[in-house]
């Protein structure tokens, strides 16, 4: 569908379009009464158009090596389709999904379905928890750092984290949450990291001490060198330990202690700390979500020097959009909160935009 776009411009166009959307949102927030019914209806229409565009643009992308893992999955899909080589993976849900898709749909349909699974849970989450203001949260999701990458490259990771987001839409229905998370683990086992954070923070809810522990992990990681990468590389199965210990890296991988990534994480860390501990916003769901984010991000801090540590970081980053914006939509903290919301959305996306370019 988008084969007419030169492949070297494909990702650039995504971020440029989001930049224009971000400007539109900010202008809307600055100069319009967002509680006005006409304003709400206009935002809903625009938001649904963006939802369709993002899904089609990511799902119907051209097949090209520039999209990393997608190129490998395309090859596996064709081999399975021709019954030449059968795809093997310990991620049993994804293996069966690929085999089913190879027998029943085209490659384009396969990738489109993957991105529907990846994007729609963010829409459902936004609609459930943000009601008429869902588009602001949804834009934060799609404008997050690495969101595009995990819909076009790290597909299994992206689908697994999206299923985690979907599970959070049924927060009060524990059996359903457990069932969806079970499917998420079968899609990509790395999602066990945020699941562990979710479970731990269910039993231990003291945000202040979890936050202090997160702070302590930074100097601990600085002083311990590659100890944690070696330790966890031996505990995780091959497909994930490769991220921690393999010698080969792609041309987008930067090793070392990523202060820029810690700064990015700090946006979510500071937001939750401010709202919960300073503004006393202690809604159970939000506190649980924030503590989960803290714990998952803390694990990444330990292995920050690893190859592909951005894949570990994403296991907390995918929660950062709701962590930042949730209280701002649920409660009024400032006289001109729409101005603050516009600034937060702009700053959040500009980090993504500037990091790409």
């Amino acid at each position: 569908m988008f084969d007419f776009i030169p492949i070297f411009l494909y990702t650039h166009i995504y971020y440029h379009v989001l930049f224009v959307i971000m400007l539109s949102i900010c202008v809307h927030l600055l100069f319009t009464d967002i509680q006005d019914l006409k304003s709400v209806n206009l935002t809903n229409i625009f938001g649904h158009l963006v939802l369709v565009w993002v899904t089609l643009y990511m799902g119907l992308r051209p097949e090209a090596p520039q999209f990393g893992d997608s190129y490998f999955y395309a090859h596996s899909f064709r081999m399975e389709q021709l019954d030449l080589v059968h795809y093997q993976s310990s991620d049993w849900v994804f293996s069966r999904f690929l085999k089913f898709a190879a027998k029943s749909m085209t490659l384009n349909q396969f990738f489109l379905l993957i991105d529907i699974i990846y994007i729609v849970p963010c829409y459902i989450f936004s609609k459930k928890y943000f009601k008429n203001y869902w588009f602001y949260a949804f834009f934060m999701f799609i404008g997050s750092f690495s969101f595009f990458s995990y819909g076009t490259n790290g597909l299994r990771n992206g689908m697994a984290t999206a299923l985690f987001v979907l599970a959070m839409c049924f927060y009060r229905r524990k059996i359903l949450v457990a069932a969806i998370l079970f499917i998420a683990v079968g899609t990509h086992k790395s999602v066990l990291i945020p699941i562990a954070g979710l479970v731990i923070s269910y039993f231990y809810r003291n945000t202040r001490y979890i936050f202090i522990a997160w702070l302590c992990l930074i100097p601990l990681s600085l002083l311990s060198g590659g100890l944690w990468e070696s330790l966890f590389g031996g505990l995780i199965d091959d497909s994930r330990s490769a991220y921690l210990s393999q010698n080969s890296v792609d041309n987008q991988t930067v090793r070392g202690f990523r202060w820029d990534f810690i700064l990015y994480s700090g946006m979510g860390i500071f937001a939750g700390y401010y709202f919960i501990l300073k503004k006393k916003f202690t809604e159970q769901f939000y506190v649980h979500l924030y503590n989960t984010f803290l714990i998952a991000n803390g694990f990444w801090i330990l292995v920050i020097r690893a190859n592909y540590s951005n894949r570990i970081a994403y296991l907390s980053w995918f929660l950062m959009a709701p962590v930042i914006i949730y209280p701002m939509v649920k409660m009024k903290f400032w006289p001109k909160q729409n101005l603050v919301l516009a600034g937060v959305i702009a700053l959040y996306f500009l980090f993504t935009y500037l990091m790409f370019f």
Side-chain angles (χ1 to χ4, degrees), residues 21-293:
I21 294 171
M22 181 271 292
L23 290 178
S24 302
I25 290 172
C26 290
V27 169
H28 179 75
L29 286 169
L30 292 175
F31 299 106
T32 307
D33 180 5
I34 62 174
Q35 294 181 327
D36 179 73
L37 183 59
K38 290 183 179 179
S39 175
V40 170
N41 290 336
L42 181 63
T43 302
N44 269 299
I45 294 170
F46 185 56
H48 283 102
L49 290 174
V50 172
L51 167 66
V52 172
W53 172 76
V54 169
T55 304
L56 294 179
Y57 193 76
M58 293 175 64
L60 297 179
R61 63 193 176 277
E63 182 186 344
Q66 285 85 345
F67 294 121
D69 289 356
S70 286
Y71 202 65
F72 163 74
Y73 291 129
H75 175 74
S76 298
F77 182 92
R78 290 198 174 92
M79 293 297 100
E80 189 72 44
Q81 202 170 42
L82 296 171
D83 209 25
L84 295 176
V85 178
H86 296 292
Y87 181 78
Q88 300 292 332
S89 171
S90 60
D91 296 319
W92 61 274
V93 170
F94 187 82
S95 293
R96 284 162 176 76
F97 172 64
L98 186 145
K99 291 175 182 179
F100 168 78
K103 302 302 181 184
S104 59
M105 61 185 71
T106 66
L107 180 63
N108 283 341
Q109 291 170 339
F110 172 61
F111 282 142
L112 178 60
L113 181 56
I114 285 175
D115 279 301
I116 289 172
I117 295 170
Y118 179 56
I119 296 167
V120 169
C122 299
Y123 166 74
I124 295 172
F125 183 98
S126 301
K127 288 284 286 186
K128 177 178 176 61
Y129 290 111
F130 298 90
K131 308 301 181 186
N132 288 335
Y133 307 108
W134 68 270
F135 181 53
Y136 305 125
F138 182 71
F139 178 80
M140 293 276 282
F141 272 115
I142 65 175
S144 296
F145 184 62
S146 292
F147 184 86
F148 184 83
S149 176
Y150 284 88
T152 58
N153 181 4
L155 303 184
R156 286 184 298 161
N157 309 55
M159 290 174 66
T161 55
L163 289 170
F164 187 103
V165 171
L166 181 63
M168 293 301 96
C169 296
F170 307 97
Y171 180 69
R172 302 291 179 186
R173 301 168 65 180
K174 305 304 182 187
I175 294 177
L176 184 55
V177 169
I180 296 173
L181 292 180
F182 178 72
I183 296 172
V185 172
T187 303
H188 200 262
K189 290 186 178 63
S190 63
V191 81
L192 284 168
I193 292 171
I195 290 175
L198 186 71
V199 173
I200 293 169
S201 56
Y202 178 79
F203 293 102
Y204 187 80
R205 304 179 183 183
N206 193 317
T207 298
R208 184 179 301 276
Y209 288 114
I210 297 175
F211 172 77
I212 292 172
W214 181 87
L215 286 177
C216 292
L217 289 176
I218 297 175
L220 178 62
S221 182
L222 272 170
L223 296 173
S224 59
L227 170 65
W228 301 104
E229 289 88 339
S230 300
L231 175 62
F232 289 112
L235 292 175
I236 305 173
D237 69 44
D238 291 341
S239 61
R240 270 143 297 278
S241 63
Y243 302 150
L244 301 179
S245 58
Q246 66 185 344
N247 293 324
S248 62
V249 296
D250 63 27
N251 58 10
Q252 294 181 340
T253 300
V254 181
R255 300 195 63 183
F257 203 89
R258 297 302 303 265
W259 288 106
D260 52 346
F261 285 179
I262 290 180
L263 176 64
Y264 180 66
S265 299
M267 294 165 63
I269 301 295
F270 171 77
Y273 175 88
Y274 176 80
F275 289 123
I276 295 172
L277 298 178
K278 296 298 182 181
K279 291 296 186 178
K280 308 303 180 185
F281 182 77
T282 55
E283 182 185 307
Q284 180 184 345
F285 172 74
Y286 180 72
V287 172
H288 197 178
L289 192 73
Y290 176 66
N291 290 347
T292 300
F293 168 73

